[in-house]
Amino acid sequence: DAKTTQPPSMDCAEGRAANLPCNHSTISGNEYVYWYRQIHSQGPQYIIHGLKNNETNEMASLIITEDRKSSTLILPHATLRDTAVYYCIVRVAGSARQLTFGSGTQLTVLP
Amino acid sequence: NAGVMQNPRHLVRRRGQEARLRCSPMKGHSHVYWYRQLPEEGLKFMVYLQKENIIDESGMPKERFSAEFPKEGPSILRIQQVVRGDSAAYFCASSPGAGSEEQYFGPGTRLTVT
């Protein structure tokens, strides 16, 4: 699976959009970009995933650059409950393999 | 549809005892994964199982650790002769099967070895 690079921490004001970047310059054509988050002491939570098109669900939007070497997770209206570690993971599509978690980005939503 | 269930949520064992951690996957899910999170560290994959089969145990320590996912009942992660370094949060995840993209995690079991 391709390696990802994320900033270690970010702050965001409550109610504003949180934009979390991820670099995955070695991603290959059959690898998806996944985002999970872990709120303190809880199990990780799936957020969204995509291949090359932008994706949106009730939690977030995922913007993948045209060359697929980077992506941005967008939480449109961050709340205090969105404070968590966010993990960007790249893995082969259609496989049931394990997830490889890096160190992620600690997002702190400030009141 | 109930989520992934793990029990116990907290487990205290003395050094040398055995720890058994249970994981009930989501209904209809036949794939189970175990991950470990040491204090102040990231999640690390341990083992991937399907019903009655271990598919990948590349993340399991070679000794004292074992896992199973029987035809009936929950998946069990067993740690024999626990040591202080086994103190961690152990998370289980499940997915419907090959080709499914998401894994759904349980709340974890916090193991403390005294």
Side-chain angles (χ1 to χ4, degrees):
Chain A
D1 294 336
K3 179 180 170 60
T4 61
T5 304
Q6 299 177 253
S9 65
M10 292 181 64
D11 292 341
C12 176
E14 188 178 18
R16 304 296 294 267
N19 298 287
L20 294 97
C22 179
N23 287 322
H24 31 78
S25 58
T26 60
I27 193 171
S28 56
N30 64 345
E31 288 182 314
Y32 278 65
V33 180
Y34 291 79
W35 284 84
Y36 282 77
R37 73 180 181 183
Q38 186 177 25
I39 298 170
H40 182 62
S41 298
Q42 298 181 21
Q45 178 187 22
Y46 165 80
I47 301 173
I48 199 167
H49 74 279
L51 182 63
K52 55 184 178 180
N53 297 320
N54 297 338
E55 302 287 344
T56 295
N57 62 21
E58 65 279 2
M59 288 184 68
S61 296
L62 174 60
I63 308 298
I64 303 174
T65 58
E66 192 168 341
D67 63 8
R68 302 209 322 121
K69 293 185 177 182
S70 65
S71 59
T72 301
L73 178 75
I74 301 172
L75 307 179
H77 304 287
T79 70
L80 299 178
R81 284 179 288 185
D82 292 322
T83 292
V85 178
Y86 287 77
Y87 297 97
C88 169
I89 299 169
V90 173
R91 68 198 284 254
V92 176
S95 73
R97 294 168 56 199
Q98 69 273 17
L99 297 167
T100 300
F101 290 86
S103 51
T105 296
Q106 170 66 59
L107 174 69
T108 302
V109 180
L110 303 171
Chain B
N1 187 11
V4 176
M5 300 177 69
Q6 292 187 248
N7 67 81
R9 296 291 305 277
H10 299 274
L11 181 62
V12 179
R13 285 286 178 266
R14 291 198 180 97
R15 279 179 296 170
Q17 291 185 320
E18 179 180 286
R20 281 184 178 242
L21 288 64
R22 296 175 189 79
C23 169
S24 296
M26 288 180 68
K27 186 177 181 180
H29 286 195
S30 58
H31 294 227
V32 165
Y33 308 79
W34 286 92
Y35 295 82
R36 178 167 68 172
Q37 188 168 35
L38 295 168
E40 306 304 322
E41 294 190 16
L43 289 118
K44 303 294 183 188
F45 165 76
M46 298 182 74
V47 62
Y48 162 36
L49 310 103
Q50 297 177 23
K51 287 282 188 181
E52 299 185 281
N53 283 306
I54 296 175
I55 307 302
D56 181 354
E57 56 182 347
S58 59
M60 286 275 272
K62 299 298 182 196
E63 298 178 349
R64 301 187 298 106
F65 285 72
S66 63
E68 63 176 8
F69 188 17
K71 186 176 180 181
E72 301 290 338
S75 175
I76 306 287
L77 179 67
R78 182 183 177 204
I79 311 172
Q80 295 178 289
Q81 300 175 323
V82 296
V83 300
R84 287 222 173 104
D86 296 332
S87 295
Y90 292 83
F91 293 98
C92 166
S94 72
S95 71
S100 171
E101 310 301 344
E102 306 100 75
Q103 293 182 16
Y104 298 87
F105 284 78
T109 294
R110 270 82 183 162
L111 173 65
T112 301
V113 179
T114 62

